C-alpha cells in the first residue's frame, strides 16, 4: 500500500479534492463521535431552528460508541459502527458544512451525491480493530447528549487515526471498485 | 447427585465475559496470519496486519478487541445429575454478565424494550440456551455477539425443490449483500434444516466451531469448502476494501426437517469471533 497521507481537521475543500478512493490516511485534529440517537437529536434541533451543540463546519463525525475507558486511558476501545443507519441524516449535515464521516459499510446514493455536491468525503475505518484505534485518541470529552451514554457526542483529539477513503468527492466508490478488481468468476 | 452453588456459575460467566472480549482465539489468529501472506490486495494485507496488531494490544492491555462487546449469548449444558442451590439459575447467569461487563469495562449495548429502546445499563439480560445432558458436569460457553454482523444474518424458509443449489446461492448472496457491514473477514455459520427457530440456532452453534475445522460428514465438509471458495471469489476482501480474504471459514450444521420444509439460515460473524468456555 502506498504511504498514508496525513490530513488535519478542519478539512478544506482543497484537501478534500486531493483525496481519492483507496487512499490510506492518518487523521489528526478533532473528530466528533455520533451515532443514531445523537444524529436524530441534531436534526430535531435543526428542525426547531436551534443552534447545534457543536459547530460541524469543516469537521468530521466518527460513527462510533466507545467502550468505557479504563482508569488512566483517555477512552475505551473505539471502532466504527455501520454507517447506513446514519444515511437519512447525513446529507443535511453535509449541506451545513460537515466535511467527513468515518464508519463502515455502504452509503446511500443521497449521501454519495451530497459528497460530490458539497465536497466531502467518507472514510472507512477498520471495524473490530477498536483497541488499536483507541491508541490514536489522545483526549476525549463528552460535549453533548451525555444521557445517551456510549451514544453521546464526544470530542476526540486524535493523532494519526488510520482510515481509508471509501467515497471521495469525485464520485468514486472503493467498495464497488475494490470488489470489481478482485472478483473472480 | 452433585450439588453446585449458583455463585460458581456467576463467577464463571463473569470471567468468561472478560476473557472472551479481550482474547482473540488462536484459531482466528492463525487463520488471519495465513491470510496475510495470501491476500493479493495491498490494502487488504494492511487491514489484516492491523487486525492482528489489535488482537495483540487487546490481549496485553486487557481491553476489549471491539467496542461492541456484544449481546451475551450463553450456551449451558447442564448434567442431569446436578442440583443447583443458593438461588435462581438464570439470574445467576445474568448476574455474571452484569459483573463481567461492569468490572471489565465492557460496553453496555442492550435496550430493555425494542421499541422504547432504553439501555438496561448493565448489558443484561443474557440470551441463555440450556441443554440437559447426561452426567454431573456443567459446560458454559459464552459467545458475545456484535450487532453489525448479527444484523446481516437471515433465515429463509426455502422450498425443498430449491435443493443444494438453492442453499449455495442463498448463502453466497447473503455474504455479497452484506459487503463491508459485518466487518469482513467474516466467519459464516450456516444452518440447514430443523424448524424456523432451530435452523437459526444451529447456525449460531456452527460459529462455535474452531476456524479450520470441518463437518464430520464428508458431504457437508466438501460443501463448506465449496462455499468458502465461492465467497472468497466475491472480491469483497478485508473490510470490503477489495481482496481475496472475505471469509475465514464457513461452518454448516444440519438438522432433520419436516417433509414440507427446507429452512436455511446464515448467521454472520465478524473476525472478532468471541467464544470462551469452561466446564464446572
Ligand atoms: S461486526 Fe464485529 S467487529 Fe464489527 S463492530 Fe460489530 S462486533 Fe465489532
Amino acid at each position: 500500500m502506498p504511504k498514508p497521507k496525513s490530513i488535519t481537521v478542519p478539512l478544506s475543500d482543497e484537501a478534500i479534492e486531493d483525496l481519492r478512493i483507496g487512499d490510506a490516511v492518518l487523521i489528526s485534529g478533532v473528530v466528533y463521535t455520533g451515532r443514531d440517537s445523537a444524529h436524530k437529536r441534531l436534526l430535531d434541533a435543526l428542525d426547531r431552528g436551534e443552534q447545534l451543540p457543536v459547530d460541524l463546519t469543516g469537521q468530521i463525525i466518527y460513527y462510533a460508541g466507545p467502550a468505557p475507558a479504563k482508569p488512566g486511558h483517555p477512552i475505551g476501545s473505539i471502532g466504527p459502527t455501520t454507517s447506513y443507519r446514519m444515511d437519512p441524516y447525513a446529507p443535511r449535515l453535509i449541506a451545513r458544512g460537515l466535511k467527513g464521516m468515518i464508519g463502515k459499510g455502504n452509503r446511500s446514493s443521497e449521501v454519495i451525491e451530497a459528497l460530490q455536491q458539497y465536497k466531502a468525503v467518507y472514510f472507512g475505518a477498520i471495524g473490530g480493530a477498536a483497541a488499536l484505534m483507541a491508541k490514536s485518541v489522545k483526549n476525549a470529552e463528552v460535549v453533548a447528549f451525555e444521557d445517551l451514554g456510549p451514544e453521546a457526542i464526544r470530542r476526540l483529539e486524535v493523532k494519526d487515526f488510520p482510515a481509508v477513503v471509501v467515497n471521495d468527492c469525485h464520485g468514486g466508490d472503493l467498495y464497488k471498485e475494490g470488489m470489481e478488481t478482485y472478483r473472480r468468476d | 447427585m452433585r450439588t453446585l452453588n449458583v455463585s460458581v456459575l456467576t463467577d464463571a460467566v463473569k470471567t468468561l465475559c472478560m476473557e472472551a472480549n479481550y482474547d482473540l482465539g488462536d484459531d482466528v489468529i492463525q487463520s488471519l496470519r495465513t491470510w496475510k501472506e495470501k491476500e493479493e490486495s495491498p490494502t487488504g494485507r494492511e487491514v489484516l496486519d492491523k487486525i492482528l496488531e489489535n488482537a495483540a494490544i487487546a490481549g496485553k492491555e486487557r481491553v476489549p478487541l471491539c467496542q461492541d462487546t456484544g449481546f451475551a449469548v450463553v450456551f449451558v449444558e447442564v448434567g442431569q445429575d446436578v442440583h443447583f442451590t443458593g438461588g435462581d439459575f438464570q439470574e445467576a447467569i445474568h448476574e455474571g454478565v452484569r459483573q463481567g461487563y461492569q468490572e471489565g469495562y465492557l460496553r453496555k449495548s442492550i435496550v430493555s424494550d425494542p421499541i422504547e429502546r432504553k439501555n438496561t445499563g448493565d448489558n443484561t439480560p443474557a440470551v441463555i440456551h440450556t441443554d440437559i445432558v447426561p452426567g454431573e458436569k456443567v459446560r458454559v460457553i459464552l459467545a458475545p455477539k456484535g450487532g453489525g454482523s448479527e444484523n446481516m444474518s437471515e433465515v429463509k424458509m426455502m422450498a425443498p425443490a430449491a435443493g443444494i443449489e438453492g442453499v449455495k446461492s442463498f448463502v453466497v448472496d447473503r455474504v455479497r449483500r452484506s459487503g463491508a457491514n459485518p466487518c469482513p473477514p467474516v466467519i459464516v455459520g450456516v444452518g440447514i434444516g430443523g424448524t424456523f427457530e432451530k435452523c437459526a440456532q444451529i447456525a449460531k452453534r456452527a460459529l462455535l466451531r474452531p476456524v479450520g475445522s470441518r463437518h464430520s460428514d464428508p458431504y457437508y465438509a466438501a460443501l463448506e469448502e465449496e462455499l468458502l471458495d465461492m465467497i472468497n471469489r466475491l472480491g469483497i476482501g478485508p473490510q470490503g476494501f477489495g481482496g481475496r480474504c472475505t471469509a475465514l471459514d464457513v461452518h454448516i450444521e444440519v438438522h432433520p426437517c419436516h417433509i414440507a420444509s427446507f429452512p436455511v439460515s446464515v448467521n454472520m460473524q465478524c473476525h472478532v469471533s468471541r467464544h470462551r468456555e469452561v466446564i464446572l
Side-chain angles (χ1 to χ4, degrees):
Chain A
M1 184 152 78
K3 209 170 147 304
K5 288 182 182 169
S6 290
I7 57 172
T8 307
V9 196
L11 294 172
S12 64
D13 282 359
E14 296 70 52
I16 301 266
E17 278 171 359
D18 191 41
L19 295 173
R20 303 281 157 159
I21 60 164
D23 284 352
V25 294
L26 294 172
I27 303 168
S28 297
V30 168
V31 163
Y32 292 98
T33 65
R35 293 171 47 108
D36 320 43
S37 312
H39 274 77
K40 182 161 190 320
R41 289 198 193 174
L42 288 178
L43 270 84
D44 286 348
L46 288 181
D47 283 342
R48 289 192 301 264
E50 293 168 10
Q51 282 274 89
L52 294 183
V54 286
D55 181 7
L56 293 175
T57 318
Q59 301 297 319
I60 293 180
I61 295 186
Y62 181 17
Y63 300 146
K70 270 179 121 173
H73 293 233
I75 196 138
S77 298
I78 183 162
T81 193
T82 314
S83 306
Y84 69 82
R85 300 193 314 268
M86 271 56 76
D87 283 354
Y89 311 111
R92 239 175 119 188
L93 298 179
I94 296 169
R96 290 182 59 94
L98 178 70
K99 284 293 173 196
M101 293 153 290
I102 309 172
K104 62 161 167 128
N106 278 325
R107 306 311 304 267
S108 67
S109 51
E110 289 80 7
V111 175
I112 291 173
E113 274 163 31
L115 296 178
Q116 293 171 68
Q117 190 180 347
Y118 299 101
K119 291 205 196 311
V121 64
Y122 172 52
F123 302 98
I126 303 175
L132 175 91
M133 279 179 271
K135 293 269 177 205
S136 310
V137 178
K138 303 301 166 196
N139 223 320
E141 63 171 318
V142 173
V143 289
F145 315 140
E146 183 150 22
D147 59 299
L148 293 178
E151 297 206 47
I153 296 187
R154 285 175 171 75
R155 180 182 188 277
L156 309 181
E157 280 166 32
V158 299
K159 174 102 181 81
D160 295 336
F161 180 98
V164 172
V165 177
V166 171
N167 292 108
D168 58 25
C169 71
H170 312 286
D173 185 340
L174 178 64
Y175 290 142
K176 272 207 193 99
E177 291 190 22
M179 198 165 164
E180 279 308 309
T181 310
Y182 290 96
R183 199 179 58 174
R184 302 281 180 275
D185 291 323
Chain B
M1 169 104 81
R2 179 182 169 218
T3 306
L4 195 67
N5 193 297
V6 292
S7 64
V8 177
L9 203 53
T10 298
D11 290 345
V13 168
K14 169 183 159 180
T15 308
L16 291 175
C17 287
M18 296 193 228
E19 286 178 353
N21 273 298
Y22 303 158
D23 300 310
L24 193 58
D26 288 338
D27 56 331
V28 181
I29 293 193
Q30 235 356 291
S31 173
L32 289 165
R33 284 203 183 120
T34 311
W35 267 110
K36 209 182 91 181
E37 304 305 317
K38 284 196 292 186
E39 176 56 62
E40 292 165 22
S41 148
T43 306
R45 284 198 297 274
E46 182 72 21
V47 168
L48 295 172
D49 198 48
K50 287 217 159 67
I51 289 174
L52 283 163
E53 199 185 330
N54 184 66
I57 294 172
K60 184 158 157 275
E61 297 191 3
R62 312 312 287 158
V63 294
L65 290 150
C66 185
Q67 79 290 339
D68 182 353
T69 49
F71 209 135
V73 180
V74 190
F75 295 89
V76 203
E77 292 166 14
V78 181
Q80 64 187 29
D81 295 327
V82 178
H83 175 218
F84 288 103
T85 58
D88 181 317
F89 168 81
Q90 304 229 14
E91 183 43 46
I93 294 175
H94 298 317
E95 182 57 27
V97 169
R98 193 171 286 128
Q99 293 179 11
Y101 276 71
Q102 193 56 42
E103 292 174 32
Y105 294 92
L106 306 178
R107 199 181 76 183
K108 304 3 170 233
S109 315
I110 307 304
V111 293
S112 57
D113 181 278
I115 305 295
E116 200 192 355
R117 306 197 75 79
K118 192 171 175 320
N119 200 304
T120 61
D122 58 9
N123 219 55
T124 67
V127 166
I128 306 171
H129 301 288
T130 310
D131 280 321
I132 306 292
V133 298
E136 53 172 35
K137 298 253 187 267
V138 178
R139 182 180 180 213
V140 186
I141 308 169
L142 184 111
K145 190 64 170 71
S149 52
E150 195 74 351
N151 285 348
M152 295 297 115
S153 306
E154 191 173 342
V155 182
K156 190 167 182 187
M157 304 305 282
M158 309 219 302
I164 189 64
E165 290 309 318
V167 173
K168 287 185 209 168
S169 56
F170 171 59
V171 174
V172 174
D173 195 52
R174 184 59 267 180
V175 179
R176 181 192 297 119
R177 282 184 291 130
S178 303
N181 293 350
C183 300
V186 293
I187 299 162
V188 186
V190 179
I192 309 177
T195 48
F196 178 74
E197 83 286 7
K198 184 74 189 177
C199 189
Q201 209 179 339
I202 59 177
K204 174 135 288 169
R205 277 214 87 112
L207 295 175
L208 302 178
R209 272 173 43 201
V211 170
S213 66
R214 283 286 149 262
H215 197 282
S216 56
D217 180 332
Y219 177 81
Y220 289 109
L223 183 58
E224 287 176 347
E225 294 198 351
E226 186 182 352
L227 284 170
L228 182 60
D229 180 64
M230 289 169 82
I231 288 166
N232 284 334
R233 286 168 177 275
L234 289 173
I236 294 171
Q239 294 302 310
F241 299 152
R244 293 260 68 78
C245 177
T246 302
L248 300 177
D249 216 342
V250 177
H251 291 152
I252 300 172
E253 292 297 324
V254 291
H255 198 274
C257 65
H258 190 280
I259 46 173
S261 304
F262 189 38
V264 182
S265 63
V266 174
N267 196 191
M268 296 286 274
Q269 169 64 58
C270 52
H271 59 89
V272 184
S273 167
R274 295 162 285 201
H275 47 92
R276 286 262 146 178
E277 67 171 87
V278 68
I279 295 179
L280 304 172

